[in-house]
Amino acid sequence: MERGDFRGAQACGKGFWISLLLFLCLITTQVKGSIHEYRNEAFTTKSNAFFFHGGSEGLYASKASRHLDSSASSQSGKSFIRFEGVTFRRTKESASRQEEMQPSTGVVEAIILDVKDRERIGGAFLKTSAICCNHTLAETGSCKLGEVIFQKNLENPSWPRVIKTDFAGRREEAKLEADEIEINSDGMYYLYFMFCNPELKGTVINGRTVWKNPNGYLPGKMTPLMTFFGIMSLAFLVLGLAWFLRFVQFWKDIIHLHYHITAVIALGMCEMAVWYFEYANFNSTGLRPMGITLWAVTFTTVKKTLSRLLLLVVSMGFGVVRPTLGGITSKVLLLGLVYFIASEALELIEHLGNINDFSKKTKVFVVLPVVFLDSCFILWIFSSLSKTLEKLQMRRNMAKLELYRKFTNALAVSVLLSIAWIGFELYFNATDPLSELWQVAWVIPAFWTLLAYSLLVVICVLWAPSHNPTRYAYSEGEDLDEEGISLTTSDIASKLERNALVEDLEEDKRE
C-alpha cells in the first residue's frame, strides 16, 4: 500500500469514536413515525408572535372525498390529522394576573395549512411583516386584535384551518377540543401552534398528533418506496437465483471472489425484504418499532460497506492478479469498519425518530464523514485499477486486461452518473426547501439503490462462475497471454518476462 493511502486510512479513522458515540446515543431513541409527540415543548418568538412547529407531512386526499362516498366501507380510506390529548400549560405568574370569572384570558391557535397557502398566514397579503393582528390593522377590519392574521382560500373557504383554544379565568391549563381534521386534497401539510398575547410567554405544549394517509400511516413521500422495495426484493431474488444456479453448475471451479459476490447478493435480498416489511408495518401501525428499523438500517449499512470493499478488492486484482491482499488487508478492513460506523450513524439519523427532519447542522455533522470516506474509496479504487491494468499490460494477459477494461468503463459510468445525480439532488433540495415536490421525492433514494444493483449485476456478469476459471483466476505460472501465445520465443525474452513476474509477486507480498 502506498504511504499516501495509509495516511488516508488514518485520517478516515479519526471520526470513528465520534460516530460511535452518536450511534450509541441514537439507538436509545424511541421511534414514533407518523405520531408526533409533544412533551413540554416551548414556543419560540417570531416577529410579534410565539409559535411551535407541530409537524409536516405529505398527505393524499381521502378516498371518500375523491369518490364522494360517505358509506362506512369508504371510511378506511380517510386521510386525517388527529389531535390526542393536546394541552397547553401557562406559567403560574401568567395565570395569577387574570380575572377569575373572565371566560377567555388567553388564546392559542392551531393552524393547519397546505404549503401552497403559506402566504395566507401572517400579514404578507396586507404588506406588513406582522404575524399577529395589531391595533392599526384591527381598525381597518382586516383581522381580529390579538389573533394570528390569516386569509381564507377563496377556492376552499375552510382552509387554512384554524382551531382556537382559550384559557379560562385563572386556569393554568387549556385543552384543545378538536378531534380530527379530514384532508380532502393532496398536499404538503404543516401544523403550527401560535399565540399572540405576550402574557402567555412560557407556555408549553403536551400531547400528540396522528397523521394518516388513505392507505395507512406511511407519510406520502415514503409511500412509493414501499412498492419500490417490494420490486427490488424480487429483482434481488431473480439475481440471486441466477447466480446460485451458475454457482452450483460450476462449483468445482469456484474462486474466493465468488463467495464475496454471493455475500453481497444475499445481503441485498435481506436488506430489501426487511425494508419492505418495515414500511408495511409502519403503514399499518403508524409506529416504527426500534428492532425492525435497526435491523433494516444495519442491513443497509453492512451491504453498502461490503459492496464498497468488494469494488476495492476487485480493483486491486484480488484473486485475478494477486492471490492475497498481503499487508494491506488490515488497512482495507479498517477503512471498512470506519465507513460502517459513519454510515450507520447517518442511516439512524435519517430513519429513527419522528418524520420531522433533524436539524441541518446535525445532518451535516454525519453526512460529511460519509462523503469523505466515499471519496477515499473512489480514489483508492481507481488508483488500484490503474495499477492492475498496468500489471496486466506488462504480462500481456489480454483476456484479463479486456475484463478489467470493461469493469473500469462500468465503474467510470457509475461515478459520472453519481456526480450528475448529486448535482440534481442538490438542485432539487435547494429549489424545494418546503417539500412541495414531495410526491416525486422518493426517486432520490431509489436512484442510489438502482445504481448499486446495476453495478452488482455488471460484476456478476463479468465474474460469473464458468468451466474456464483461468480466464480471470490467479495462477502462479501465468506469464503469457491465455489466448495461447507460442512459447517459442528466445530464451532471453522468456527470462525477462519471468523476472518481471517474480518482481510483481514480490511487490504484492511486500504490500
Side-chain angles (χ1 to χ4, degrees):
M1 183 180 182
E2 299 294 334
R3 191 174 297 174
D5 293 335
F6 177 69
R7 289 175 181 170
Q10 283 183 319
C12 293
K14 289 182 179 179
F16 175 85
W17 292 110
I18 295 176
S19 300
L20 179 61
L21 178 62
L22 182 60
F23 169 78
L24 293 174
C25 291
L26 282 172
I27 61 175
T28 61
T29 304
Q30 189 176 12
V31 187
K32 282 297 177 183
S34 286
I35 299 176
H36 299 255
E37 290 200 349
Y38 319 124
R39 299 174 180 173
N40 291 319
E41 307 290 348
F43 288 71
T44 56
T45 306
K46 184 173 183 180
S47 183
N48 61 339
F50 299 84
F51 81 100
F52 170 73
H53 180 210
S56 57
E57 284 186 23
L59 295 174
Y60 292 96
S62 297
K63 290 182 179 179
S65 299
R66 291 181 178 182
H67 302 296
L68 298 178
D69 181 7
S70 58
S71 63
S73 61
S74 68
Q75 295 306 304
S76 60
K78 286 182 64 177
S79 178
F80 59 78
I81 301 172
R82 184 170 62 229
F83 298 87
E84 296 184 352
V86 176
T87 59
F88 309 98
R89 178 174 290 275
R90 59 182 171 182
T91 62
K92 291 183 179 180
E93 293 78 5
S94 175
S96 63
R97 289 194 293 265
Q98 309 304 322
E99 295 293 335
E100 179 65 38
M101 303 304 295
Q102 194 170 346
S104 177
T105 55
V107 60
V108 180
E109 300 174 75
I111 302 175
I112 304 173
L113 71 151
D114 189 330
V115 69
K116 293 181 291 187
D117 293 330
R118 60 186 179 276
E119 297 297 331
R120 299 181 183 277
I121 300 298
F125 67 98
L126 298 176
K127 297 181 180 180
T128 176
S129 59
I131 296 177
C132 292
C133 187
N134 52 35
H135 289 283
T136 303
L137 295 174
E139 289 176 358
T140 64
S142 302
C143 54
K144 187 175 180 180
L145 183 64
E147 295 184 1
V148 175
I149 305 169
F150 71 95
Q151 181 185 35
K152 288 290 185 181
N153 186 338
L154 297 179
E155 297 179 359
N156 191 0
S158 61
W159 289 86
R161 186 69 62 87
V162 178
I163 305 166
K164 299 177 182 179
T165 303
D166 292 291
F167 285 96
R170 294 182 178 178
R171 290 184 181 179
E172 295 179 20
E173 188 173 280
K175 183 177 180 180
L176 192 150
E177 297 297 337
D179 183 18
E180 70 180 37
I181 306 299
E182 186 173 354
I183 304 300
N184 297 317
S185 61
D186 299 348
M188 172 59 70
Y189 287 87
Y190 281 74
L191 169 62
Y192 291 100
F193 298 97
M194 307 178 72
F195 62 84
C196 299
N197 188 349
E199 292 185 357
L200 293 179
K201 187 175 182 179
T203 297
V204 295
I205 179 175
N206 287 281
R208 69 179 191 174
T209 53
V210 179
W211 305 56
K212 182 182 177 297
N213 268 295
N215 295 320
Y217 293 95
L218 202 61
K221 63 182 179 181
M222 296 173 67
T223 300
L225 285 174
M226 185 171 71
T227 304
F228 174 76
F229 287 135
I231 294 173
M232 289 306 300
S233 296
L234 294 176
F236 269 99
L237 184 62
V238 171
L239 177 62
L241 181 60
W243 179 262
F244 176 75
L245 293 175
R246 192 84 176 180
F247 195 96
V248 172
Q249 184 180 0
F250 302 103
W251 66 273
K252 292 183 179 180
D253 301 311
I254 296 301
I255 63 175
H256 196 63
L257 183 62
H258 290 143
Y259 293 101
H260 289 248
I261 297 173
T262 303
V264 174
I265 295 174
L267 281 169
M269 293 172 61
C270 294
E271 177 199 9
M272 293 297 106
V274 172
W275 273 121
Y276 175 80
F277 286 113
E278 198 270 348
Y279 273 45
N281 179 76
F282 183 9
N283 191 50
S284 62
T285 66
L287 301 174
R288 305 187 74 177
M290 173 64 71
I292 298 178
T293 305
L294 192 57
W295 271 108
V297 166
T298 302
F299 269 119
T300 296
T301 306
V302 171
K303 197 209 77 174
K304 285 172 63 177
T305 303
L306 290 184
S307 297
R308 282 155 177 75
L309 290 177
L310 175 64
L311 290 175
L312 182 57
V313 298
V314 167
S315 301
M316 289 177 173
F318 173 66
V320 180
V321 176
R322 58 202 302 173
T324 67
L325 296 180
I328 61 173
T329 302
S330 59
K331 300 176 181 68
V332 171
L333 293 177
L334 176 62
L335 178 59
L337 178 62
V338 175
Y339 183 85
F340 171 80
I341 297 297
S343 184
E344 181 84 349
L346 177 60
E347 293 290 334
L348 288 171
I349 281 284
E350 291 182 342
H351 292 99
L352 296 189
N354 286 340
I355 291 305
N356 289 343
D357 292 334
F358 283 78
S359 68
K360 293 187 181 297
K361 290 183 179 179
T362 304
K363 278 197 169 184
V364 169
F365 178 76
V366 292
V367 165
L368 287 180
V370 176
V371 171
F372 173 70
L373 292 169
D374 274 327
S375 301
C376 290
F377 270 112
I378 291 173
L379 292 175
W380 202 352
I381 286 170
F382 278 99
S383 174
S384 299
L385 269 176
S386 177
K387 292 179 182 178
T388 301
L389 290 171
E390 184 180 346
K391 288 179 181 180
L392 290 173
Q393 286 177 333
M394 288 177 60
R395 297 175 186 178
R396 294 190 292 172
N397 196 326
M398 304 310 295
K400 293 181 181 179
L401 183 62
E402 182 64 21
L403 179 73
Y404 266 86
R405 280 176 176 166
K406 291 178 180 178
F407 174 65
T408 302
N409 291 338
L411 199 58
V413 169
S414 69
V415 170
L416 291 175
L417 287 174
S418 298
I419 293 172
W421 194 256
I422 289 171
F424 170 75
E425 190 172 346
L426 291 172
Y427 172 79
F428 184 90
N429 291 329
T431 55
D432 187 37
L434 299 176
S435 300
E436 294 181 79
L437 301 176
W438 57 278
Q439 289 172 302
V440 295
W442 67 274
V443 301
I444 299 293
F447 171 82
W448 297 112
T449 302
L450 284 174
L451 183 63
Y453 179 80
S454 301
L455 200 54
L456 180 59
V457 170
V458 170
I459 291 177
C460 289
V461 171
L462 293 178
W463 275 272
S466 71
H467 65 278
N468 182 25
T470 55
R471 67 190 176 96
Y472 47 63
Y474 171 79
S475 174
E476 285 193 27
E478 66 176 7
D479 57 341
L480 291 175
D481 190 356
E482 297 170 11
E483 308 261 333
I485 295 178
S486 175
L487 299 178
T488 60
T489 55
S490 66
D491 291 339
I492 296 177
S494 298
K495 289 179 180 179
L496 289 174
E497 289 173 357
R498 291 194 193 98
N499 290 338
L501 176 59
V502 170
E503 290 176 359
D504 286 343
L505 290 173
E506 290 178 351
E507 179 187 348
D508 291 343
K509 291 176 181 178
R510 287 196 300 271
E511 292 179 345

